[in-house]
Amino acid sequence: MNLTHPFLDADGDKLREECGIFGVIGTAEAAATTALGLHALQHRGQEACGIISWDGQQFFARRGLGHVAQVFSDAAIMAELPGAMASGHVRYSTTGGQGLRNVQPLHADLARGGFSIAHNGNISNAMTLKRELVEKGAIFQSTSDTEVIIHLIATSRYPTLLDRFVDALRMVEGAYSLICMTPKRMIACRDPLGIRPLVMGKIGEATVFASETVALDVVGAEFVREIEPGEIVEVRQDGRLTSHRPFGNLPARPCIFEHVYFSRPDSVMGGRSVYEVRRQIGAELAIEAPVEADLVVPVPDSGVPAAIGYAQQSGIPFGLGIIRSHYVGRTFIQPSDGARHADVKRKHNANRALVEGKRIVLIDDSIVRGTTSLKIVQMMRDAGAAEVHMRVASPPTSHSCFYGVDTPERHKLLAARMDVQEMTKFIVADSLAFVSIDGLYRAVGAPGREDGCPRHCDACFTGDYPTRLTDLVEREAEAGQLVLPVGKVA
């Protein structure tokens, strides 16, 4: 196939996920449980991982580049992480960059003892806060925005650690789910809008926190509830649990793209099965964008549930017209552009016996740069497809995310510079359609945007950012550029 398309580049063509966090307190093998939980969250970040444990006397840490199974490969390594409390993190670098010094959980010795933190999300005023802290004499050991929180806690003048923690979080903007450890307790919290997910479970008397319910399932924990937006949950060593709500009750805006792509389909988000939501998105697509065709083909693996829903609603047969190699990691969370580009070429192969001579409906979760869609459409044509119609299980991704998802700059997003007709020509499809924003909300089971009060963060589709974006505004002002629109801040 011709790879000299005018807009084609070597970058990945999926939204890069944030991170995954896991923590447990009150079990004899806390680190082993954490490693198992992180393995269930591996899809949220494959660049690096780390675990910190507490044995009642001191903290123990191990971090490494690579997958959980590579970094925590045997019992001898797990034996180096003793104790009944542990937390862990799987990472893709959204802010900071690659390298071992940015691998979480981060740890620091504060005036009142050791403190560790694992963070999923992105602090949208981290550069501003860091500049102020450095001017006051702070010395940073990493380039991660997460370390800003540690310095804010260390410099707070409040008497108790919890008060210092709250004081620090009042100064940050953006999205965060955090699992923190001190010698006396584990602390879990979500940002006031609940943009990033966090759930709580129980294994016997032990308390577990995780980014997704699938991690609870894998470690044998019973789901208790989601951590509420703006909630801080403390669990002491004796199991006592205390909930704090220092930020009031703002209208929640959890990330809607968790339902579309980020979460595993066997997780539950907001009380809804992720798999069922994705199947329903496909059904909405079939209603909104029908087409005469012979076969519904998912772009594996993320397009499968939506393709099933499209096939069921439309009555068009479902078939695996593309076979994915499961020995290639998820393209967009590989650490180098060259690796991602090579993976795209090795990842999929057309099932010619099924595709040849057929009118195909291709179902994918999103189009970001459009490069992967271009290649997949061409793959279908090379395999003899008579027609190729693309249907996308999310609205056009026309804006960058600043809440922990490493999206390309806006000018690199296909939907930011082209309308649907132009995008159709770009990917060389016979037709192209996206689910509407209202159709997406219907599938999620939430009221749409008609009343002006969206129940999710959908800024990547609408440009309606629910928080201030201080660092972005500063960068654009310095460059003399127009500032992106920002939604109302409650």
Side-chain angles (χ1 to χ4, degrees), residues 8-136:
L8 194 61
D9 59 32
D11 289 341
D13 190 32
K14 290 288 185 181
L15 296 181
R16 301 171 186 167
E17 301 177 55
E18 336 78 64
C19 303
I21 57 176
F22 186 95
V24 60
I25 180 171
T27 183
E29 297 183 342
T33 301
T34 299
L36 187 59
L38 292 179
H39 193 273
L41 300 173
Q42 186 74 83
H43 59 287
R44 300 185 73 90
Q46 298 182 14
E47 180 185 302
C49 57
I51 294 176
I52 288 184
S53 70
W54 169 258
D55 72 344
Q57 298 295 323
Q58 60 182 313
F59 286 94
F60 298 84
R62 185 177 181 89
R63 307 176 185 89
L65 303 178
H67 293 187
V68 176
Q70 296 169 321
V71 178
F72 302 99
S73 56
D74 56 46
I77 291 174
M78 301 313 303
E80 298 173 1
L81 297 165
M85 178 170 62
S87 64
H89 189 271
V90 289
R91 178 176 190 268
Y92 181 89
S93 56
T94 56
T95 295
Q98 303 167 20
L100 199 56
R101 65 175 177 160
N102 290 316
V103 179
Q104 298 187 35
L106 300 182
H107 177 267
D109 289 313
L110 306 181
R112 296 181 176 271
F115 182 85
S116 77
I117 182 170
H119 172 207
N120 172 21
N122 196 62
I123 306 304
S124 59
N125 64 336
M127 290 194 313
T128 303
L129 291 171
K130 183 175 182 178
R131 183 172 60 247
E132 295 171 356
L133 288 163
V134 170
E135 288 174 353
K136 294 177 182 178

Side-chain angles (χ1 to χ4, degrees), residues 43-375:
H43 59 287
R44 300 185 73 90
Q46 298 182 14
E47 180 185 302
C49 57
I51 294 176
I52 288 184
S53 70
W54 169 258
D55 72 344
Q57 298 295 323
Q58 60 182 313
F59 286 94
F60 298 84
R62 185 177 181 89
R63 307 176 185 89
L65 303 178
H67 293 187
V68 176
Q70 296 169 321
V71 178
F72 302 99
S73 56
D74 56 46
I77 291 174
M78 301 313 303
E80 298 173 1
L81 297 165
M85 178 170 62
S87 64
H89 189 271
V90 289
R91 178 176 190 268
Y92 181 89
S93 56
T94 56
T95 295
Q98 303 167 20
L100 199 56
R101 65 175 177 160
N102 290 316
V103 179
Q104 298 187 35
L106 300 182
H107 177 267
D109 289 313
L110 306 181
R112 296 181 176 271
F115 182 85
S116 77
I117 182 170
H119 172 207
N120 172 21
N122 196 62
I123 306 304
S124 59
N125 64 336
M127 290 194 313
T128 303
L129 291 171
K130 183 175 182 178
R131 183 172 60 247
E132 295 171 356
L133 288 163
V134 170
E135 288 174 353
K136 294 177 182 178
I139 299 173
F140 281 76
Q141 301 299 313
S142 75
T143 56
S144 168
D145 62 334
T146 309
E147 192 178 356
V148 168
I149 299 174
I150 294 177
H151 283 277
L152 291 174
I153 295 170
T155 56
S156 174
R157 295 181 179 276
Y158 281 87
T160 69
L161 178 62
L162 183 63
D163 287 338
R164 291 183 175 204
F165 186 61
V166 172
D167 184 40
L169 295 183
R170 289 189 190 281
M171 288 185 263
V172 304
E173 302 168 3
Y176 54 83
S177 286
L178 305 173
I179 297 176
C180 308
M181 297 195 308
T182 77
K184 295 182 179 180
R185 74 201 80 180
M186 177 169 282
I187 304 171
C189 73
R190 289 174 78 185
D191 65 77
L193 299 180
I195 298 174
R196 299 266 67 89
L198 192 63
V199 298
M200 179 170 63
K202 297 284 287 186
I203 307 176
E205 298 301 313
T207 301
V208 182
F209 300 100
S211 292
E212 295 183 36
T213 60
V214 65
L216 304 183
D217 297 338
V218 168
V219 302
E222 179 184 357
F223 172 76
V224 175
R225 63 178 177 87
E226 293 188 357
I227 303 303
E228 296 296 324
E231 182 183 16
I232 297 175
V233 176
E234 283 186 285
V235 183
R236 296 184 178 274
Q237 296 285 3
D238 61 6
R240 286 183 296 155
L241 187 149
T242 309
S243 173
H244 309 273
R245 296 177 181 270
F247 308 113
N249 292 306
L250 301 179
R253 296 285 295 274
C255 172
I256 201 166
F257 215 87
E258 290 281 353
H259 292 280
V260 174
Y261 183 80
F262 295 144
S263 298
R264 264 180 48 165
D266 46 346
S267 282
V268 175
M269 286 278 170
R272 297 289 306 276
S273 158
V274 173
Y275 173 87
E276 180 56 28
V277 167
R278 291 175 186 170
R279 190 198 65 79
Q280 188 59 41
I281 293 173
E284 291 285 345
L285 257 177
I287 295 169
E288 294 181 351
V291 64
E292 291 188 7
D294 304 307
L295 191 68
V296 176
V297 174
V299 178
D301 288 320
S302 55
V304 172
I308 291 172
Y310 194 102
Q312 291 173 340
Q313 180 66 39
S314 66
I316 302 171
F318 171 93
L320 295 179
I322 301 171
I323 305 302
R324 178 194 169 198
S325 169
H326 288 270
Y327 298 96
V328 180
R330 298 178 81 173
T331 301
F332 67 100
I333 44 181
Q334 297 295 339
S336 74
D337 288 343
R340 284 195 297 271
H341 185 49
D343 284 344
V344 168
K345 294 187 291 184
R346 298 197 310 265
K347 192 172 182 179
H348 299 118
N349 189 49
N351 186 355
R352 178 179 290 273
L354 193 62
V355 167
E356 191 168 17
K358 302 269 197 337
R359 296 170 297 173
I360 303 298
V361 184
L362 274 176
I363 309 288
D364 205 356
D365 61 271
S366 61
I367 293 180
V368 182
R369 301 172 189 266
T371 54
T372 296
S373 300
L374 171 63
K375 295 170 187 175

Side-chain angles (χ1 to χ4, degrees), residues 370-393:
T371 54
T372 296
S373 300
L374 171 63
K375 295 170 187 175
I376 295 294
V377 169
Q378 186 63 47
M379 181 189 300
M380 293 290 94
R381 295 198 187 283
D382 291 344
E387 298 175 10
V388 183
H389 303 273
M390 191 87 181
R391 296 295 181 265
V392 184

